[in-house]
Amino acid sequence: MQATTPLTGLRRTARESAGGRSSAGSGESPACTRALRWLGALGLLGVFTSVLLVAAGAAGGPSQYVPARSGGWPSWLAGPFAGLGVGLSPDGFQALTLIMAASYLAVLLAVRTLPGRMLWVTIIAAHLALLIGPPLVSQDVFGYLDFARLGALHGMDPYTHVAAQAPTDPVYLFVGWPFQNSPYGPLFTLSSYAIAPLGLAGGLWALKTLAVATSLAAIALLSKAAGREALSADARTERPGDLRTALDRGRSARFTAAFVGLNPVLLELAVGGDHNDTLLLLALAAALLFTAGASPRFRAGAAALVAGIAVKVTAGLALPFLLLAPPTARERLRVVAAAALSLALVAVIGLIGFGSHAFGFAGAVSEQQQLVATHSLPAESARLVGLHGTPGWWRHCFIAGFVVVFIYALWRTLRGADWRVAAGWTTLALLLATAWLLPWYAIWPLPLAAVSGDRRLRAATLVFCAYALLIHLPLANGLLSPSHVTCHTRKDCVRGRGLHLGGHRVHLTRLEVSDDVTLDLRR
């Protein structure tokens, strides 16, 4: 090969193959490769078009898909798409979401034939379309803004005060949770104070820009981590480090970018809703990049996860697995020391900013976990077996199952299993066990599934993402929740079994409309 092929030509071929221009497998016919390329191109077009129409349709007027409409419909909330006059009905939202999901699967099937540039243009364009649209499905972004304004403008600690204590603030009308303390870490809460002086419009657009920027940065880091991991795998199998290595590295990077960056849950729910879960995604992506390849930097990865904990405590779920990942006990102790030092630094920041209430977010998180989401697995399974509501003992059974998975995954990691795979399965177990499941949480295992390369974990993650999409569609009303439920006695209603009102079952004690996800009063 080296004797008959000029080195410059070989390098050029490798670069082109890594970019997607010559990525057909040796056993595939040109016709099959062309068909896959067309399928992938149509998939990219379908993802972008459906994202664009959802964002533009939501901006066309007040609808259930922009819950912040409760505060009014100012131009800065609707965004530039409002002038297009495009509407969004429940059937339209459902159709576009299903098209987005089908297009995403088409891209995954054909991604190895697609040019990397085309893939990234679609990812960036979809993010920008969501940036200039209104906040979708959730009002959480106004919760972030309210906590920032409480601290920066009203002198109230968001860990001890709630939005209802400043009802004259203009943001109050847009807040969906007026009686809840901040459940977010001190680093995010303190940093958000900087947007308070920007006003409502400026603060909203700053948070929207942050969600888009951190999502794109996370996708880029994950793509790089996957490429580095593919290069390391070639080195371990002693394969030639030339054309084949470049091919594998380019394919892995492209697949990871598509797997995460075009995922409908990430786009429509996480980025579309401007959630700070994209910051958690970025912290996890940084940790995966630090620990990828032949020379992993576990201490830097641990520090990145601790930074994620300072934003949202969920990032800490992967930390024990990373601490056990180094091959020697000595290196594990060093990683533990680095993580402890990072946690101490976060604690100092919290104490400076909030004093004795620095860890108040833990109480808010605990309060959230006492709530029951309509379509969480504990709630759905309780209804399936005929239980009244979701009893505490039933929820404890699911938590016990999660603990078993967590301990087993730690044991597997200690015995040399891939920490990313173990952390990914444990994250999925948490999402299945929690009674407080919000659909955008489905992006949590995406980075671990993408970079680890475990096919079963990837498949399970995609199935859970499909479920997260389903529960926000009208289809869910007939498939998941009971369609006809009435109170047999007044005593049943008082105990929380519900009241049949206007075609919907209303839980008086839990403020829950259990057979229509779009009318869920808890959100």
Side-chain angles (χ1 to χ4, degrees):
M1 190 85 176
Q2 291 177 350
T4 59
T5 306
L7 185 59
T8 55
L10 180 62
R11 288 175 178 169
R12 185 184 308 113
T13 303
R15 286 195 300 269
E16 291 178 355
S17 299
R21 292 184 290 274
S22 299
S23 58
S26 57
E28 288 185 357
S29 66
C32 181
T33 301
R34 285 195 299 271
L36 281 175
R37 189 176 293 118
W38 274 104
L39 177 66
L42 288 174
L44 292 176
L45 180 62
V47 170
F48 171 70
T49 303
S50 54
V51 166
L52 180 65
L53 290 177
V54 166
S63 72
Q64 61 197 31
Y65 300 109
V66 186
R69 72 190 187 283
S70 60
W73 195 247
S75 59
W76 52 262
L77 174 62
F81 283 140
L84 298 179
V86 180
L88 188 64
S89 65
D91 288 340
F93 179 81
Q94 178 169 272
L96 290 172
T97 301
L98 294 176
I99 290 172
M100 193 187 309
S103 301
Y104 169 66
L105 293 179
V107 172
L108 293 185
L109 288 173
V111 67
R112 57 195 174 85
T113 68
L114 295 173
R117 184 175 300 175
M118 179 186 295
L119 180 64
W120 272 102
V121 165
T122 306
I123 292 172
I124 294 172
H127 278 71
L128 292 179
L130 292 166
L131 172 64
I132 59 179
L136 297 174
V137 178
S138 169
Q139 295 169 266
D140 282 4
V141 66
F142 287 99
Y144 312 153
L145 188 55
D146 177 72
F147 294 137
R149 293 172 68 87
L150 279 178
L153 303 183
H154 301 287
M156 298 181 184
D157 186 340
Y159 293 144
T160 58
H161 294 76
V162 297
Q165 292 176 274
T168 58
D169 192 296
V171 76
Y172 181 72
L173 296 175
F174 297 91
V175 173
W177 292 84
F179 299 101
Q180 183 177 6
N181 301 118
S182 172
Y184 309 113
L187 186 60
F188 174 77
T189 305
L190 274 179
S191 300
S192 67
Y193 284 11
I195 66 173
L198 301 178
L200 288 191
L204 172 64
W205 285 91
L207 289 169
K208 288 173 67 66
T209 303
L210 178 66
V212 168
T214 52
S215 177
L216 290 174
I219 297 165
L221 294 182
L222 291 170
S223 179
K224 187 174 181 180
R228 185 179 292 178
E229 192 63 22
L231 183 63
S232 175
D234 282 339
R236 289 194 298 269
T237 55
E238 299 182 351
R239 291 201 306 205
D242 43 38
L243 177 60
R244 185 62 179 272
T245 298
L247 280 170
D248 289 347
R249 188 174 184 177
R251 289 171 180 170
S252 297
R254 287 201 308 277
F255 181 86
T256 297
F259 185 81
V260 179
L262 295 176
N263 186 280
V265 178
L266 175 73
L267 292 174
E268 188 172 84
L269 300 178
V271 177
D274 309 308
H275 290 282
N276 62 2
D277 295 76
T278 56
L279 287 167
L280 184 151
L281 209 68
L282 180 60
L284 190 52
L288 289 167
L289 178 60
F290 283 131
T291 57
S295 302
R297 298 162 57 193
F298 290 109
R299 282 172 280 181
L305 286 182
V306 170
I309 295 172
V311 173
K312 202 163 188 175
V313 71
T314 314
L317 185 60
L319 185 58
F321 299 96
L322 189 147
L323 297 180
L324 295 177
T328 65
R330 186 175 182 179
E331 180 60 21
R332 288 172 188 162
L333 288 175
R334 291 176 178 174
V335 178
V336 170
L341 183 61
S342 301
L343 285 170
L345 180 60
V346 169
V348 169
I349 293 174
L351 290 171
I352 293 174
F354 304 103
S356 60
H357 303 295
F359 304 102
F361 65 92
V365 171
S366 178
E367 288 179 5
Q368 274 191 346
Q369 294 307 308
Q370 303 305 312
L371 301 173
V372 177
T374 306
H375 293 306
S376 65
L377 186 61
E380 286 290 351
S381 59
R383 285 191 289 270
L384 183 64
V385 300
L387 296 177
H388 296 166
T390 310
W393 65 267
W394 185 257
R395 298 174 60 183
H396 295 158
C397 290
F398 282 85
I399 295 300
F402 162 71
V403 172
V404 170
V405 172
F406 180 65
I407 294 174
Y408 176 73
L410 285 176
W411 177 76
R412 290 277 298 158
T413 306
L414 190 60
R415 292 178 60 86
D418 190 332
W419 75 272
R420 299 164 301 189
V421 176
W425 283 113
T426 305
T427 303
L428 278 175
L430 175 65
L431 293 173
L432 292 173
T434 180
W436 184 238
L437 173 67
L438 298 179
W440 46 90
Y441 292 174
I443 69 169
W444 294 350
L446 274 177
L448 296 162
V451 176
S452 69
D454 187 275
R455 292 186 177 181
R456 290 177 298 178
L457 178 59
R458 285 176 176 174
T461 300
L462 289 180
V463 170
F464 191 81
C465 286
Y467 180 77
L469 285 178
L470 174 65
I471 62 179
H472 266 286
L473 302 181
L475 281 172
N477 297 332
L479 292 177
L480 298 176
S481 296
S483 56
H484 298 289
V485 180
T486 60
C487 280
H488 299 290
T489 67
R490 183 175 176 223
K491 188 176 181 180
D492 288 335
C493 291
V494 174
R495 286 182 176 178
R497 286 191 62 185
L499 173 65
H500 195 65
L501 179 63
H504 301 290
R505 180 188 177 191
V506 181
H507 285 277
L508 302 179
T509 58
R510 286 185 282 147
L511 292 180
E512 174 185 338
V513 181
S514 62
D515 65 335
D516 191 330
V517 70
T518 60
L519 295 179
D520 188 347
L521 302 181
R522 292 171 293 101
R523 290 195 240 112

